[in-house]
Amino acid sequence: MDTTLKLPVGIEDFQEIRRLGFYYIDKTKLIEQLLEQWGKVNLFTRPRRFGKTLNMSMLRCFFEIGTDKTLFDNLYISKRKDFCEEYMGKFPVVFLTMKGVEGNTFEKAKAKLSKLVALEAERFCFLKNSDRLTDNEKERYKALIRIKDGKYSMDEETLESALQTLSELLFRHYGQKTIILIDEYDVPLDKAYQNGYYREMVSLIRALFGDALKTNNFLQFSVLTGCLRVSKESIFTGLNNFKVLSITDARFDEQFGFTENEVENLLKAYGMASHLEETKEWYDGYRFGDADIFCPWDVINHVDRLCKEPDAKPQSYWLNTSSNELVKCFIDKANKTTRDEIERLIAGEPMEKFIRLELTYDEIDNLWSVLFTTGYLTQAGVTETGAYKLMIPNREVREVYKLQIQEWFRENILRNTENLTAFWKAVEKGNTECIENYLNRTLSNTISVFDTKAPDAEKENSYHTFLAGLLAENSNWLVRSNVEAGEGFADIIIEPEDPDAGIIFELKHARVASGLNKSCENAITQIRNRRYEEYLKNDGRNKIVLYGIAFYKKRCKVVVERINGERD
């Protein structure tokens, strides 16, 4: 392995990666495909963290006048001498990445958009003195970068026509049409929707894009990227030659994200070929067109961590950089049927759903479609009727659902304080009927993440987390999990306010419903045989209640025994 090759964690600038010796997975075939499959305006929709910004940076470096052509040495596109001669370094390029255009008011978001456009215009400061521009054209340029009180002061009319104006002025200077690249075009709309000024932002973006992409005689071509395919009627009204390349499209299907072969080569380069299967389990599973795709953000972060910690286990990187409000919103709105569907998804079973790939944010309640287009679900095929077979792509995203569901579950339970308090009192008194009723009702009315296709030991751990969470909410109890006691480890031990009292829980998972009673007996026997009660007796607590609880799917059975041998 060439140890000079660093891993580009969080680096989205193609020039920086190539000049500073970072590992680069070659996606320059995208250039060839764009030129061969010509479209005046091309929109790529992909989930977050799938290399959209890096690819856009790569396009800019290839086409822009004055580029460093050595950046593409030994890359795929360098073999296409005809394209390199005709297109490399031949065009003015305007490049905007709109991921930072947000604010809690429309005015704040508009100010950020104005600044973004102005900073891009300032890259072409030579236009102020260009002998190929008239005085009026120079004044139009100055309006794009005007400063007042230390801030860019572009008025709304100037902003709406800014991209068209800049491309025209660049054409006047160079005698060559302009390429416009707009990265994460839908972020301003997403933020506007969340903050209540969606219609104002739609109007502004429609005007900005309309002038630049629809009626612009100075446009060579344009590429846009985003997560959602916002409906043409919403912001692209009347736009001809508009090509949408979504996650269902076989064209360009390998150009965003990593293929298995690319991941295998990356792992081999760093001496980690043995980690391929775990990387597949956690970060593979996305289906773009005809290609199986890994999330590049996850793969790069995982390999980087392995370089420093060879025994490191996979973890959720995408989860930690993405908002999970969509999953939360989806679960909050879920009825019993939908909750059942989510359980089946978590268990690995596909759901057949009709999907709309073109949405407006006014239709965001079409959450199956939104979860699909944003990467929380992927597709495993299409039925004869046109429905998509949706499934959770990998273990990492499954963790998103489970964590969000557990949080939602906890919030719902805690809201019903009267029933929860009655449950706690039943635990103190040894009222098994009340305990069983509460647990069965609670399990029935929520989304179960407990009884999936996980091994039995993991299922038991999930029920343990569920029960311990309910018990730990009682601020008057000291609740301990997996406590070293007697000759083993007790699942849960509670020290109530009463200094003489103590409670011990042992949990079991039954493989079949008919095995619940036997599993409860086994739990009580384990407590007795391993003398877990010694932990409490050593603290002077002698009024001890033992619970054996067994779970099967959304059902449970409870047996209680007091330390003096009385059985309820």
Side-chain angles (χ1 to χ4, degrees):
M1 183 191 75
D2 184 351
T3 55
T4 63
L5 290 180
K6 299 160 284 189
L7 284 159
V9 178
I11 300 176
E12 299 176 314
D13 184 87
F14 176 78
Q15 181 172 274
E16 182 179 357
I17 286 175
R18 294 293 288 165
R19 281 185 176 171
L20 299 183
F22 287 95
Y23 190 98
Y24 176 65
I25 290 182
D26 189 351
K27 295 295 180 180
T28 59
K29 189 172 184 178
L30 173 63
I31 299 168
E32 177 187 64
Q33 290 178 303
L34 277 171
L35 294 173
E36 288 183 338
Q37 303 174 34
W38 182 263
K40 191 74 171 180
V41 180
N42 307 272
L43 170 60
F44 292 95
T45 58
R46 296 292 188 277
R48 281 183 293 270
R49 299 295 186 179
F50 273 81
K52 297 189 296 292
T53 302
L54 177 56
N55 273 351
M56 295 288 265
S57 174
M58 180 265 291
L59 293 178
R60 171 182 160 183
C61 286
F62 182 82
F63 289 106
E64 189 163 45
I65 291 171
T67 191
D68 177 1
K69 296 183 180 182
T70 64
L71 295 174
F72 294 88
D73 286 353
N74 301 315
L75 296 181
Y76 176 87
I77 195 62
S78 66
K79 300 173 185 176
R80 289 300 305 263
K81 304 297 183 184
D82 52 341
F83 284 158
C84 291
E85 269 186 41
E86 187 173 354
Y87 295 100
M88 187 187 284
K90 299 294 176 65
F91 298 89
V93 177
V94 173
F95 178 33
L96 299 179
T97 182
M98 302 180 76
K99 61 183 67 176
V101 179
E102 59 177 298
N104 54 17
T105 67
F106 175 63
E107 291 303 318
K108 288 182 178 178
K110 184 173 72 171
K112 287 190 176 180
L113 180 58
S114 297
K115 180 179 179 181
L116 177 68
V117 173
L119 285 171
E120 179 63 5
E122 285 219 82
R123 287 205 306 123
F124 309 104
C125 58
F126 53 81
L127 293 175
K128 285 188 293 187
N129 303 308
S130 173
D131 57 8
R132 299 172 186 174
L133 269 59
T134 66
D135 289 342
N136 283 342
E137 288 168 339
K138 291 175 184 177
E139 288 302 313
R140 290 171 65 198
Y141 173 73
K142 290 175 184 176
L144 300 177
I145 61 172
R146 185 168 291 123
I147 296 285
K148 183 179 180 181
D149 298 328
K151 297 180 180 179
Y152 291 103
S153 61
M154 201 184 310
D155 61 48
E156 191 160 323
E157 184 178 345
T158 302
L159 176 59
E160 289 177 348
S161 61
L163 294 182
Q164 191 278 339
T165 298
L166 190 54
S167 59
E168 178 185 349
L169 298 178
L170 288 167
F171 175 80
R172 302 291 182 208
H173 179 82
Y174 286 114
Q176 183 61 273
K177 289 185 178 182
T178 301
I179 294 170
I180 296 178
L181 306 176
I182 301 174
D183 183 43
E184 303 286 9
Y185 85 100
D186 56 337
V187 168
L189 300 172
D190 180 23
K191 302 301 182 183
Y193 177 78
Q194 293 179 28
N195 289 287
Y197 54 88
Y198 177 69
R199 295 193 182 281
E200 295 95 321
M201 184 56 76
V202 164
S203 179
L204 176 56
I205 296 295
R206 183 190 295 124
L208 180 70
F209 288 179
D211 281 352
L213 307 179
K214 182 174 65 176
T215 58
N216 189 355
N217 295 324
F218 310 101
L219 177 68
Q220 178 72 13
F221 69 85
S222 179
V223 179
L224 298 87
T225 69
C227 288
L228 287 183
R229 173 182 168 182
V230 179
S231 72
K232 190 172 179 179
E233 290 70 29
S234 176
I235 60 174
F236 300 116
T237 307
L239 187 60
N240 296 320
N241 299 320
F242 184 73
K243 182 184 289 187
V244 178
L245 301 144
S246 73
I247 55 176
T248 65
D249 203 306
R251 295 169 294 177
F252 303 90
D253 55 4
E254 294 186 356
Q255 301 314 318
F256 294 85
F258 295 164
T259 65
E260 182 170 341
N261 185 56
E262 289 167 340
V263 171
E264 194 170 358
N265 289 337
L266 170 63
L267 290 169
K268 285 179 180 176
Y270 289 86
M272 298 175 185
S274 62
H275 291 273
L276 178 61
E277 288 308 310
E278 73 182 26
T279 306
K280 282 173 63 69
E281 179 188 1
W282 275 79
Y283 311 125
D284 189 14
Y286 299 93
R287 185 75 176 175
F288 296 167
D290 295 329
D292 291 314
I293 297 295
F294 290 70
C295 176
W297 172 256
D298 290 325
V299 173
I300 292 293
N301 275 278
H302 183 49
V303 176
D304 183 64
R305 187 162 181 227
L306 287 172
C307 286
K308 302 172 182 65
E309 304 172 43
D311 297 326
K313 300 299 181 184
Q315 59 179 264
S316 298
Y317 298 102
W318 189 71
L319 165 63
N320 295 332
T321 61
S322 300
S323 169
N324 299 311
E325 286 302 308
L326 284 174
V327 176
K328 185 178 189 301
C329 181
F330 191 41
I331 293 166
D332 284 345
K333 294 176 181 292
N335 56 28
K336 194 143 186 139
T337 299
T338 308
R339 291 199 297 267
D340 177 69
E341 290 174 326
I342 296 173
E343 289 178 22
R344 288 154 63 192
L345 281 168
I346 292 173
E349 182 180 339
M351 290 291 104
E352 293 182 6
K353 295 290 178 181
F354 289 96
I355 295 299
R356 287 191 61 187
L357 294 174
E358 187 173 90
L359 299 165
T360 67
Y361 277 83
D362 290 340
E363 301 167 320
I364 205 74
D365 286 341
N366 191 341
L367 281 166
W368 287 110
S369 297
V370 174
L371 290 169
F372 175 53
T373 57
T374 54
Y376 289 97
L377 294 173
T378 191
Q379 56 105 352
V382 182
T383 67
E384 291 182 359
T385 60
Y388 284 88
K389 297 176 182 178
L390 300 179
M391 59 189 302
I392 296 172
N394 53 44
R395 184 168 173 180
E396 181 192 34
V397 181
R398 187 173 290 111
E399 292 300 309
V400 176
Y401 282 88
K402 291 173 70 173
L403 290 170
Q404 192 62 69
I405 288 166
Q406 286 169 341
E407 180 59 28
W408 170 86
F409 163 76
R410 179 177 176 276
E411 290 172 359
N412 269 358
I413 294 300
L414 296 184
R415 278 198 289 265
N416 197 334
T417 56
E418 184 178 341
N419 285 345
L420 187 57
T421 300
F423 166 69
W424 293 333
K425 288 180 179 177
V427 169
E428 288 184 330
K429 293 179 180 179
N431 187 337
T432 57
E433 182 180 359
C434 182
I435 294 169
E436 277 185 13
N437 286 341
Y438 179 79
L439 292 177
N440 284 326
R441 195 166 56 246
T442 301
L443 289 169
S444 175
N445 290 325
T446 187
I447 299 169
S448 173
V449 297
F450 310 117
D451 208 1
T452 66
K453 294 181 179 178
D456 285 349
E458 289 186 23
K459 293 174 185 176
E460 189 173 307
N461 289 341
S462 295
Y463 287 112
H464 183 140
T465 302
F466 155 70
L467 181 59
L470 293 178
L471 299 171
E473 287 300 324
N474 189 330
S475 59
N476 296 319
W477 289 350
L478 177 60
V479 179
R480 301 181 187 276
S481 287
N482 298 313
V483 184
E484 187 172 0
E487 296 178 359
F489 289 83
D491 281 341
I492 300 171
I493 290 182
I494 299 175
E495 297 178 28
E497 277 188 301
D498 181 351
D500 294 326
I503 303 168
I504 300 174
F505 285 89
E506 187 63 31
L507 280 63
K508 297 295 180 183
H509 171 260
R511 294 187 177 185
V512 292
S514 59
L516 285 169
N517 287 326
K518 180 62 175 176
S519 293
C520 286
E521 295 291 340
N522 291 342
I524 292 291
T525 300
Q526 182 174 322
I527 294 173
R528 290 290 198 177
N529 288 346
R530 298 185 184 180
R531 303 197 305 277
Y532 291 158
E533 71 276 5
E534 289 182 4
Y535 179 91
L536 292 168
K537 287 183 175 180
N538 290 338
D539 195 33
R541 297 176 180 269
N542 293 297
K543 294 193 302 182
I544 301 172
V545 180
L546 314 180
Y547 283 102
I549 301 186
F551 292 91
Y552 171 73
K553 295 188 175 180
K554 292 191 176 187
R555 300 165 63 180
C556 77
K557 178 69 178 174
V558 182
V559 169
V560 64
E561 187 175 295
R562 303 185 191 282
I563 202 64
N564 60 8
E566 295 179 5
R567 175 70 61 87
D568 290 354

